[in-house]
Amino acid sequence: MSDIDRTTPAAPPAAKPGVSYLEWGAIFGGAMVAGALTVVLTQFGTGIGLATADPTLEDGLTWGIFLVGLWLVFIPFASASAGGYVAGRMRSHFGDGTEDESEFRDGIHGIVVWALATVAMGLAAGFSAAVSSALAPAAADPEVSAEMMQLLHSASTITAFAAGAGAVLGAAGAWFAALAGGQHRDEGIAISAFRGPFFRRMQS
């Protein structure tokens, strides 16, 4: 009996040399979810008028510019978080040694999802801008005043800052969402735990 008490738990399997811990199936799946959600949210924003804002009103930079900035922050955060959760939930244990190491690998999968989706959307946006400029070259408007140019410059600065802040928050969201997905995977939490009573009654 004493021999059984002194028995130590078996060590986790050692990693094989040259084997990557990145599961690209989960990563590409999460990146596809992030990209699709980005497109949907962008179309939704365009539909309700958040894609453009008019800075030519008498009060200068309007609330429209501010709302556009908030939307540019929300889109990458929500999209990367969803993709990170998918990657963390779908990633399987692969020689995970400790709990901290497992969480770190889940988070890295979320970061890679964010990076892949960001690069893909950036390339798509650059290609679209290049095609648009080639088909309809911009012409300088001599009637644009210096005040209007200043307003346009300020609006461009706000949107650029919002896009950068959204990218940073998207990376953080992907990391923590992947950790949550990995935790739910390990604990075996079913998706039904997140449904409200109304949807549960509909299913039953």
Side-chain angles (χ1 to χ4, degrees):
M1 185 68 178
S2 59
D3 294 338
I4 298 178
D5 295 338
R6 290 193 299 268
T7 302
T8 57
K16 297 180 180 180
V19 176
S20 173
Y21 287 110
L22 290 177
E23 294 191 19
W24 288 103
I27 289 173
F28 279 112
M32 290 295 294
V33 170
L37 189 56
T38 298
V39 172
V40 171
L41 291 177
T42 301
Q43 292 176 339
F44 177 77
T46 303
I48 62 177
L50 291 178
T52 59
D54 185 8
T56 63
L57 300 180
E58 295 180 358
D59 58 349
L61 295 178
T62 64
W63 279 101
I65 296 293
F66 180 72
L67 292 177
V68 168
L70 288 180
W71 196 247
L72 290 177
V73 171
F74 174 75
I75 288 177
F77 175 77
S79 302
S81 297
Y85 182 87
V86 170
R89 186 77 187 242
M90 295 295 100
R91 186 191 78 88
S92 61
H93 281 276
F94 189 48
D96 293 359
T98 63
E99 182 178 353
D100 291 338
E101 182 66 16
S102 179
E103 290 182 355
F104 179 78
R105 292 172 187 172
D106 289 335
I108 287 298
H109 276 71
I111 290 294
V112 176
V113 166
W114 164 81
L116 183 61
T118 300
V119 171
M121 297 304 295
L123 291 176
F127 177 77
S128 177
V131 171
S132 298
S133 62
L135 295 179
D141 187 357
E143 298 182 0
V144 176
S145 63
E147 181 181 1
M148 178 57 58
M149 291 297 297
Q150 181 63 31
L151 288 175
L152 292 175
H153 176 73
S154 299
S156 177
T157 301
I158 291 175
T159 54
F161 177 81
V168 174
L169 291 177
W175 173 276
F176 289 107
L179 295 184
Q183 181 181 1
H184 294 168
R185 174 203 63 216
D186 296 339
E187 297 176 355
I189 298 179
I191 192 64
S192 58
F194 302 98
R195 295 200 301 265
F198 175 75
F199 294 102
R200 293 178 183 175
R201 287 196 300 267
M202 289 183 60
Q203 185 179 13
S204 60

